């Protein structure tokens, strides 16, 4: 079916490619002309402007927005709303804040426009593996767009079926989920990323401890010289922590067990912060999530005011001199 | 090849079965006669006593101990050492403390005995999937026992190979690793379990937040009614947190999204505590590991002295009355 | 000087009493007639309505709002704004969210009204000890109200002066601080409470560990039977953790070392949550604050969905049965 | 009364001075001759050797060991035990591990020697303020040494008495506590320090958040420029977090609000680690303690292997480039 794609970065461009391969009709737009041209050469129809994008689509139009977090401004939405007609659909596939989704959907619906929030996981592997989709919005629109979602999703693949799902929504096993009304899609994606943060930090701590098992300050009889690359690899088979994140870790460590190419300054995106906010709003304890988020904050800090406060107190009560 | 197995619980018995299927010659012993008889009926040679176990094996003997944590007493080791001859091998496949391994190996080596510590992951699925083995001890013994390890391990399977491993130890990709000298096997298993704790807690927190997304105290316009079983399932395809732990969660939630069969009192084994101890000894921060461990402690508590201290202070400074 | 007080709960009523004792002229209002009558009997002038409160004050009027968190609605502010005249002052002494202060102050200033946000610490002891005041708003109004602030504040007392403050604002040593523009007062109070949470939780954990030092599962040779009431008391003299919170703990434990009168269900107010939000917005790690907040969340929970998720996974991979 | 002091560092020397001022008879020894000479000039009797120290004391001798953590070796104890006679007393006033106390006391008692473990808090202020003493060991020896303990302790001072203590041990209100049998003294001191860690970290986080309230990345309308020195000072009067640690913070910040003299590399001593170990052994959650300890670990780290693992995973699944 026909779909418009606005935003042709790594994610958006690959999603278009996956849709084109399945025979869908894609009209694309990006502020960057080179990005548009590239996809035009691969079979998409490139529009020169937002207005051009809208005009090239047959009603009811469906435009998928695949923009960086924070890039969907009210101005963009107003512009689009001015160009679209009742019954048209806007799909936000980026990492928006779920409360914004609820607000936007309500505002757009007054103009007869339909808004869907779609949490999209897949990263650089999505083109080949497909994208795990978590969809929030009205069921009618979700059903209308089913061919698009089904193509973008990974499909059943060779993954062993989960017992007891026979009477359940079959779309889920294809890798796309209608999670609920507006906001639900990005909410579920937000929690996915929060879990991801926690799992990554668990992995990081474990490898860190092993990395230091042979440190000089360890008593010589207890010192262990561990090959973390081999350890990551062996855990890929038959262990409880078998996971894609472990696969990625094994690949990175096989290349360089010291990971010297990295500085260790780790960004965080909005999802981790929003998930912590959701936990607090619901009075749900989330120690692992918060620890994982704070570890990323710490990784990027160069100053140490908190620690200086500690040192100042220690100097005050005990005359303690700082470690060098 | 021939091997003795002492301890025929769920793990030990299934390991014997896996070895028998591959044609190995297994002599088995357990204090529980029924456990011995069961395996005798499946092709193993059952011994009536430790002495019988030793006598039934041809030197150099190899006896695999598959006992619950803490069950390998000094007395057991002394008894075994008294029965064995120089060159014989003891393999501790349970969850022992790695520093005990180092101490035991040194003591046994004085009598010419060889000790191996083998972290064994696989649980109830090991019989079919194989056991991920993390081995500590002298290379000669590890090589001698290679047929046993190779059979117990999962093998390559259909898991995609990690790039850049061509020149590395091929055993690792079969699912067994000679991690280093004594202690290294259980150390690596200890860290494996610590990562497991953290990953599990990350998952638990995420599902907990979603479980409460529709709570009454959430503003009605923001309330979401999420199907956590479907969410777990959709994440199995194409998401970043794809993992065996997620598969297991999806299976449990498909059966009952409320998990009503569980009380939520979660045990912890020694590994999590030892890993935290290792982190502290090495001055490595381990916030996620400790949070995961403490969450298990809290899950089993019925009393609230710490919280009462908080309430008493709040009453003292603010006249605050407790929540009911 | 003359001041109006709206809200005659424990805090508001005692603040009026402290002001009356110092000779200030207090006009008071509360929705509860009994509260008004009580203070009228102690020398205050009671108004029957908000309008009456405003009329009883001479311009430029100053009205101190001492209401529970969340009780200052836009409607109340609109009503007050309709009654007041340019140059009049509204002082919010409750625990409002600092971003609300900034928004409100801007809105009210368009009508020529002055808004002050005053974080007020003191609890049930404020009447005698005075209230620690953290003030946000324009300096002119802060100076105008100085007699009120100086009376409410504790004053120098017998607290040892801090070296190096000779050239600094002398009000601070009297126990009131003009922290900055609007929002700054409640921001500083918010952080005060966050620190309070963390200090309280530190205390709670320490006493909890000691409370369990003689538990049955501790090896008998290591079991200690500690008197936590005496311990709290001895630390009040010469130890590093000497503090008012410790004094309060010692008092509570002297009464009952088991704190049996408390259930251990601990409320949290907005400040802890807002402080965590501020930390996240500024990318500042705040592990202790978040841990303290989550401990309170946990203290009030009866359900254990997160823990059930853990148990379900453990049953799935290891056949583990839950602790009873 | 007469007492021997071994170890004349900052703590030991000042304790001798406090004892001398009260008229006690102090025989002192330190490996450093200058330290001995200094105190000899202040009225102490200096011994040239351990043997000399023992000879200068009349039986039953009492020798107070005030040595850095880890400095009390088995060799020292053996030497002392060889010189002493049954009934003599050894007092370990340093920061020893409480399980070592139990072991040592048992060993020494076989030779008729009495061992006391005394947690000593007071730091550089102890000479003037007195030392808070937490004593473990047999009551008879504690009573025998009462004049020493009473002198070293702060005494009642002007601290308000805690209600409900009339029938309790009066020594406690003088600032010294017989906490229990051997080990109890250092156990209580260990928990004291753990609470201290947590309170300090709570303070550090709060000041850190305020330090960043005016950061460039904060929206301009929400940016606050806070004077942390004044804030610390105002909290000293009438606030809930009034404490000695706050006094010390206020002093340090009055000198320099940026604490530029400090690097922020914060040492930790054994107590924090042992307290975490005790919590784990007793299955008591201790999130704040562990967070405070880990924050110190992090403050001293220059390498970021854990964080590199995170970055490597992020590069693997999302092509994410690190923050610079």
């Amino acid at each position: 079916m026909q779909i418009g794609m606005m935003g042709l970065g790594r994610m958006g461009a690959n999603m278009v490619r996956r849709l084109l391969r399945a025979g869908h009709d894609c009209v694309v737009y990006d502020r960057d002309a080179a990005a548009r041209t590239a996809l035009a050469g691969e079979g998409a129809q490139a529009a020169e402007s937002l207005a051009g994008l809208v005009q090239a689509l047959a009603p009811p139009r469906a435009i998928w927005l695949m923009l960086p977090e924070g890039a969907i401004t009210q101005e963009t939405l107003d512009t689009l709303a001015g160009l679209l007609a009742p019954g048209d659909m806007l799909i936000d596939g980026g990492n928006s804040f779920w409360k914004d989704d609820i607000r936007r959907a309500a505002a757009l619906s007054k103009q007869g426009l339909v808004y869907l929030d779609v949490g999209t996981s897949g990263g650089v592997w999505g083109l080949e593996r497909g994208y795990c989709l978590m969809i929030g919005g009205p069921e009618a629109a979700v059903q209308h767009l089913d061919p698009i979602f089904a193509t973008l999703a990974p499909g059943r693949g060779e993954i062993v079926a989960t017992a007891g799902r026979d009477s359940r929504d079959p779309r889920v096993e294809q890798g796309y989920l209608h999670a609920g009304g507006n906001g639900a899609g990005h909410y579920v994606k937000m929690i996915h990323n929060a879990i991801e943060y926690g799992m990554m930090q668990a992995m990081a701590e474990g490898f860190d401890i092993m990395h230091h098992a042979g440190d000089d300050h360890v008593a010589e009889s207890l010192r262990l010289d561990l090959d973390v690359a081999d350890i990551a690899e062996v855990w890929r088979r038959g262990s409880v922590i078998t996971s894609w994140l472990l696969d990625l870790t094994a690949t990175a460590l096989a290349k360089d067990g010291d990971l010297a190419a990295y500085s260790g300054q780790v960004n965080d995106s909005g999802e981790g912060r929003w998930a912590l906010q959701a936990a607090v709003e619901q009075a749900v304890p989330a120690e692992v999530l918060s620890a994982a988020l704070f570890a990323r904050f710490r990784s990027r800090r160069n100053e140490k005011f908190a620690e200086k406060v500690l040192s100042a107190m220690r100097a005050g009560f005990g005359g303690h001199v700082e470690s060098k």
Side-chain angles (χ1 to χ4, degrees), chain A:
Chain A
M1 70 185 284
Q2 193 192 45
I3 188 152
M5 177 70 72
M6 174 176 175
L8 302 175
R10 193 171 43 209
M11 287 286 283
N14 277 344
M15 290 167 76
V16 169
R17 288 184 184 103
R18 191 168 169 96
L19 290 166
L20 289 172
R21 289 181 191 177
H24 293 291
D25 172 16
C26 299
V27 188
V28 302
Y29 172 71
D30 192 286
R31 285 190 308 182
D32 175 18
R36 303 192 302 251
T37 310
L39 279 170
E42 299 181 47
Q45 176 181 352
E48 305 278 309
S49 64
L50 260 191
L53 176 66
V54 173
Q55 283 160 8
L57 294 166
R61 300 172 187 89
I63 299 183
W64 190 299
L65 308 174
M66 207 64 208
L67 300 170
E69 186 201 317
I72 301 186
T73 60
Q74 193 54 47
E75 198 186 341
T76 308
L77 289 173
D78 289 345
T79 306
L80 274 165
L83 295 166
L84 295 171
D88 286 351
M89 287 157 276
L90 278 179
I91 305 124
D92 177 3
N95 285 325
S96 299
F97 182 43
W98 65 283
K99 293 186 184 177
D100 286 341
D101 293 323
I102 293 175
R103 193 173 43 72
R104 286 171 183 165
L108 291 167
S109 78
K110 288 182 186 158
Q111 304 170 56
L113 300 176
V114 177
Y115 180 90
L116 297 177
D117 52 285
V118 182
T120 309
S121 186
V124 293
W125 297 80
L127 174 56
E128 296 309 326
R129 292 171 37 139
Y131 300 88
C132 180
L133 303 176
M134 298 144 259
I135 309 164
E139 175 69 15
V142 177
Q143 293 212 359
H144 179 81
L145 292 164
D146 190 76
I148 299 296
F149 294 138
T151 295
L152 288 174
R156 274 192 167 273
E158 297 176 6
I159 293 167
V160 178
T162 298
R165 290 198 51 85
D166 295 344
S167 58
R168 286 178 168 274
D169 187 338
R171 296 176 293 184
V172 176
E173 292 184 88
Q174 303 291 334
Y176 63 111
L177 165 72
H178 183 199
N182 279 117
H186 281 143
Y187 191 97
V188 172
K189 176 59 159 48
M190 169 184 85
I191 298 298
H192 168 276
N193 284 29
I195 295 174
E196 174 191 309
Y197 276 44
M199 288 173 64
M200 288 173 72
Q201 184 64 20
M203 206 86 85
E205 290 181 8
F207 279 95
D208 199 15
I209 299 172
M210 294 191 296
H211 184 72
H212 289 280
D215 277 5
D216 287 349
H217 66 80
V218 177
E220 201 169 342
S221 65
L222 298 174
R223 223 173 277 167
L224 299 174
D225 180 26
L226 301 173
D227 183 325
V228 287
D230 279 354
I231 290 167
E233 182 64 29
V234 82
W235 286 344
R236 296 181 66 220
R237 287 175 180 78
S239 97
V240 174
I241 63 172
T242 301
S243 56
W244 191 35
L245 287 167
L246 179 63
D247 295 346
L248 297 170
T249 306
T251 299
L253 292 171
K255 208 167 155 191
D256 173 16
D258 289 325
L259 300 175
Y262 299 96
S263 69
Q265 307 220 53
V266 190
N267 284 319
D268 71 286
S269 56
E271 283 89 359
R273 301 180 179 205
W274 299 330
L276 181 50
Q277 181 182 327
V280 170
E281 285 173 358
Q282 294 166 24
V284 171
E287 287 93 353
V288 161
L289 165 56
S290 55
L293 186 63
F294 294 151
R296 294 193 178 189
F297 290 173
R298 286 191 189 278
S299 79
R300 304 193 305 259
R301 300 192 111 197
N302 291 317
E303 59 83 37
K304 292 189 169 183
F305 189 72
E307 294 82 356
K308 291 179 182 183
V309 172
L310 298 179
S311 286
M313 283 188 262
R314 281 167 53 82
F317 66 71
H320 297 292
V321 175
E322 288 188 297
S323 177
K324 295 297 163 196

